[in-house]
Amino acid sequence: MSVDPNTPVLRNCIRLPLPEEELLEVTAKAKDYAIMHGAAMRSKTSFSPDSLNFAPFVLVPSSFPRKEFEKAVALQPIINRLMHNVAHDEEFITTTLAETIKVDEFTANLFNIYRKVLAHGYTQAYSIGLLRSDYLGHVYEGCAIKQVEINTVASSFGGIATHLVQLQNFVLRELGHADKLPNMPKNNALAGLCDGMVKAWDIYAKPQSVILFIIEDVSYNICDQRFHEFYIRETYPHIKVLRRTLTDVHREGKLGLNKELLLGGKLEVAVIYFRAGYEPGHYHSQDEWDARYLMETSLAIKCPSIQYHLAGTKKVQQALAQPAVLERFINDPEEMKAVGKIFTGLYSLDDNDAGNATYEMALRTPEKFVLKPQREGGGNNVYGVDIPEALKRMSRVERSAWILMDLIHPPLTKGYMVRPGAEMPPTIVDMVSELGIFGVVIGDADHIIHNYQAGHMLRTKLSTANEGGVAAGLGALDSPYLIDSDDDDEDEN
C-alpha cells in the first residue's frame, strides 16, 4: 500500500528511538514475558505441537484517539443489536445474497444449510453472537473511525489481547514510564466473551451438558483458543469444554430424541463455539458440510448460528451501508445517524446498472478502493492498482461475489514491531492500527436477553502492508494508548 507523504503521524506514547542497549534488553524481556504469559502461537514454518513462538507484537502501545475509541465502545451494543436483527430477517438475507450465491460456492453452501434449517423451523430459537467490529481512523475526517468489517464467526484474539495489555504495561514500567499506564484502557475481552458462552450454557439449562469448540485440523492460534477454554474451566469448573474438528463431529455426532446434539453417544452439547468453519478449506468433503448441518439442526445454541454467519458476509455489510436499509433495522434516529457515520463507501458489483457503474468507477480510479470477497481469515482482498486486472478476469456474474469499498486512510504511528526470527534490535517503522471492539449478544427472533460490549483488541501492521491479519502472518498484536487532541505534542521524558 502506498502511503501519502502528508499522512499525519500520531504522537507517540513515549519518545523514540530508545538507546540501543536499553532497546535490546527490554525487547528480550518482552519476548520472554510474551511466551511465559501465553501471548504466543504455533509456528507455521516449523510447526510442532510441543513448542510455541511469541506472537508478533508491538513493543510499546500504539496511540489511538481517545474520543474515537470511546465512540467505538459506546456503539458496540447498537452494532450487536443491528446484527441480531439482520440475522433474524429472512427476507433481507435471502434477497441480499441472491446474486452472490449464484457464483460463490462457499456462501451458496452456507445458504443451502440456512434454507433447509428454515424449511424445518429452528430447533433452537436462541443464538449467541460473539462479534468483533473492526475500525480504522480516517485522516480525511479528523481520524474519525470507519468500519472495516464486522466479524460474526471465530472473532479471535480476545484471549491474547487481554494479556497483551499486561505485556505492554510491563514494558512501560521497565522503561520508567509507569505514569503512562492510566491511558491504557482495561481490557476484559477474555472474561466478557467466555462469560457470554456461559450465559448461553445457562439458558440451555442442563447441568451435565458441555460447551463444544469447533477447531481446525491444526490450530496455530492455540493460545488464544486455550485461554477461552481454560478461563471457562477455571472460573466455572462444573462446565466441561470439548474441542472437535468438523470431521470429528461427523464421526462422533448424532441427534438424540429431542434433537439434542450428542457426542460419542452420551455427551450432550449445550453451546457450539465455532473457531473453524469460516472458510472453504475447513470443509474437506461433504462429511464436514453434513456435520455443520447436523449442528445447525440440533438443540445446541450456536456461536454463530447459520443466520448469524450469513449476516457477517461482506455483501450484507455493503447493503447495510445504505441509509434506507439501515432504517429497516435501527428505529432510533440518533442511533441510526451514529452508525451511519462509521460506514465508508461500499458498492455493489452485481450484474445491474448500479454494479456496472461501480465496475467502471473501479477501473477509472482503482487507487481509491479495496475489492473484497465474502471471506474471513485475511489475505483475500485486492487493493488499488491490482483491482482492474482482477475485475477484468471475472465475468459480469462472477463480480457479484465481491464488493468494492472506499480505501480508508488511517493516521500513522511509529514504533518497534517485534517478530519471531527477526533481526535484533528492531527498527522504528511506520505503522497503522486497526481497532477491534468485541460484543456479546444473546437472544431469539423476538427478544435480546444479553447485549454488551466485551473488550477490545488492536492489530497493527506496517503502513506499506495491505493486510493486517496476525494469524495470517501480516500484522502484530498491540494495545491502544489513548491520546487527546489537545495533548502536548510528544512526551519529552
Side-chain angles (χ1 to χ4, degrees):
M1 183 192 289
S2 61
V3 178
D4 185 331
N6 299 317
T7 301
V9 181
L10 297 177
R11 71 190 66 84
N12 285 336
C13 167
I14 61 171
R15 183 173 278 286
L16 301 177
L18 296 172
E20 183 169 318
E21 195 174 319
E22 187 176 32
L23 175 60
L24 283 166
E25 186 175 347
V26 80
T27 303
K29 286 181 189 176
K31 288 179 179 180
D32 290 341
Y33 190 102
I35 289 175
M36 291 170 67
H37 292 78
M41 302 171 80
R42 293 213 172 111
S43 169
K44 285 191 171 181
T45 50
S46 53
F47 175 82
S48 165
D50 298 330
S51 65
L52 293 168
N53 283 338
F54 63 86
F57 66 91
V58 177
L59 186 64
V60 173
S62 295
S63 295
F64 201 91
R66 185 187 308 274
K67 182 164 66 84
E68 297 304 311
F69 176 84
E70 290 172 350
K71 182 201 296 182
V73 168
L75 274 174
Q76 192 58 41
I78 303 170
I79 301 279
N80 291 347
R81 193 168 69 246
L82 167 64
M83 297 312 295
H84 184 83
N85 292 342
V86 168
H88 289 89
D89 192 324
E90 176 191 341
E91 183 196 7
F92 175 72
I93 287 179
T94 302
T95 308
T96 304
L97 295 176
E99 295 303 312
T100 303
I101 61 175
K102 292 177 184 174
V103 289
D104 187 309
E105 185 185 1
F106 180 68
T107 307
N109 285 337
L110 292 172
F111 189 84
N112 192 39
I113 290 175
Y114 175 62
R115 194 175 46 76
K116 288 196 287 185
V117 169
L118 281 175
H120 293 104
Y122 292 117
T123 307
Q124 176 55 260
Y126 288 100
S127 293
I128 171 171
L130 300 185
L131 313 179
R132 197 186 72 222
S133 185
D134 292 338
Y135 303 96
L136 286 169
H138 191 43
V139 296
Y140 298 143
E141 292 186 29
C143 291
I145 51 168
K146 295 291 178 184
Q147 190 183 65
V148 178
E149 64 180 354
I150 180 86
N151 298 280
T152 62
V153 56
S155 303
S156 59
F157 288 117
I160 294 182
T162 301
H163 290 76
L164 205 80
V165 176
Q166 299 158 15
L167 164 63
Q168 290 178 322
N169 281 350
F170 171 77
V171 169
L172 286 175
R173 282 194 299 270
E174 289 296 296
L175 294 172
H177 290 287
D179 58 305
K180 303 292 185 184
L181 302 188
N183 292 317
M184 290 188 68
K186 286 193 168 49
N187 191 3
N188 296 315
L190 180 62
L193 295 169
C194 293
D195 290 347
M197 284 189 252
V198 172
K199 289 178 197 300
W201 183 88
D202 286 337
I203 290 168
Y204 194 84
K206 291 199 180 177
Q208 299 306 310
S209 62
V210 303
I211 295 176
L212 172 64
F213 286 22
I214 299 296
I215 57 167
E216 299 157 285
D217 296 333
V218 178
S219 296
Y220 296 104
N221 196 11
I222 188 67
C223 292
D224 192 61
Q225 293 180 16
R226 291 288 195 195
F227 272 136
H228 291 74
E229 176 185 349
F230 297 164
Y231 175 92
I232 293 170
R233 292 295 295 134
E234 289 168 1
T235 314
Y236 307 96
H238 56 289
I239 304 176
K240 189 167 184 176
V241 176
L242 302 179
R243 290 163 56 84
R244 297 288 187 274
T245 64
L246 288 166
T247 312
D248 293 335
V249 172
H250 179 260
R251 189 174 58 247
E252 294 179 38
K254 66 173 188 177
L255 298 187
L257 293 175
N258 299 308
K259 294 198 173 177
E260 65 275 23
L261 178 64
L262 300 172
L263 289 178
K266 57 183 186 297
L267 288 169
E268 182 172 348
V269 177
V271 177
I272 304 171
Y273 172 48
F274 285 94
R275 287 296 293 245
Y278 54 82
E279 65 178 34
H282 298 160
Y283 299 84
H284 309 304
S285 67
Q286 188 57 41
D287 287 355
E288 286 72 29
W289 285 109
D290 289 346
R292 180 70 187 265
Y293 179 64
L294 179 80
M295 290 185 279
E296 293 296 341
T297 57
S298 78
L299 195 59
I301 300 174
K302 274 74 71 179
C303 175
S305 56
I306 193 69
Q307 64 268 33
Y308 256 95
H309 193 156
L310 291 170
T313 54
K314 302 298 184 293
K315 186 66 188 169
V316 167
Q317 186 186 353
Q318 178 257 312
L320 288 174
Q322 302 166 68
V325 175
L326 200 54
E327 213 167 47
R328 177 174 181 148
F329 301 106
I330 299 179
N331 298 324
D332 184 293
E334 288 304 309
E335 288 186 355
M336 198 181 129
K337 190 174 162 190
V339 172
K341 281 183 177 173
I342 65 169
F343 291 141
T344 187
L346 293 146
Y347 312 95
S348 164
L349 281 161
D350 286 353
D351 185 15
N352 54 30
D353 288 347
N356 293 335
T358 301
Y359 175 77
E360 296 299 333
M361 180 172 72
L363 294 186
R364 267 197 316 276
T365 54
E367 68 282 357
K368 292 182 176 178
F369 302 107
V370 185
L371 190 61
K372 291 187 162 189
Q374 316 300 317
R375 288 286 174 278
E376 301 302 331
N380 299 301
N381 299 336
V382 181
Y383 289 80
V385 293
D386 296 330
I387 290 174
E389 187 187 344
L391 282 175
K392 286 173 182 173
R393 283 201 303 266
M394 300 176 203
S395 70
R396 289 164 73 105
V397 179
E398 285 169 342
R399 293 197 317 245
S400 60
W402 297 71
I403 65 163
L404 195 73
M405 176 174 166
D406 284 346
L407 189 63
I408 303 167
H409 293 274
L412 299 178
T413 56
K414 289 181 180 288
Y416 297 107
M417 200 175 275
V418 184
R419 308 187 69 85
E423 283 184 24
M424 286 282 282
T427 55
I428 293 178
V429 289
D430 288 344
M431 308 179 296
V432 296
S433 295
E434 185 173 304
L435 176 69
I437 303 291
F438 292 103
V440 175
V441 57
I442 305 175
D444 60 16
D446 302 314
H447 302 100
I448 291 177
I449 303 173
H450 300 287
N451 177 14
Y452 57 92
Q453 181 265 340
H456 59 271
M457 66 167 286
L458 200 70
R459 278 174 305 179
T460 296
K461 62 183 179 182
L462 294 174
S463 62
T464 50
N466 281 327
E467 303 259 4
V470 180
L474 300 160
L477 292 167
D478 201 351
S479 307
Y481 176 82
L482 302 184
I483 58 169
D484 297 300
S485 53
D486 55 358
D487 281 352
D488 294 332
D489 242 10
E490 188 181 88
D491 183 89
E492 296 296 329
N493 294 333

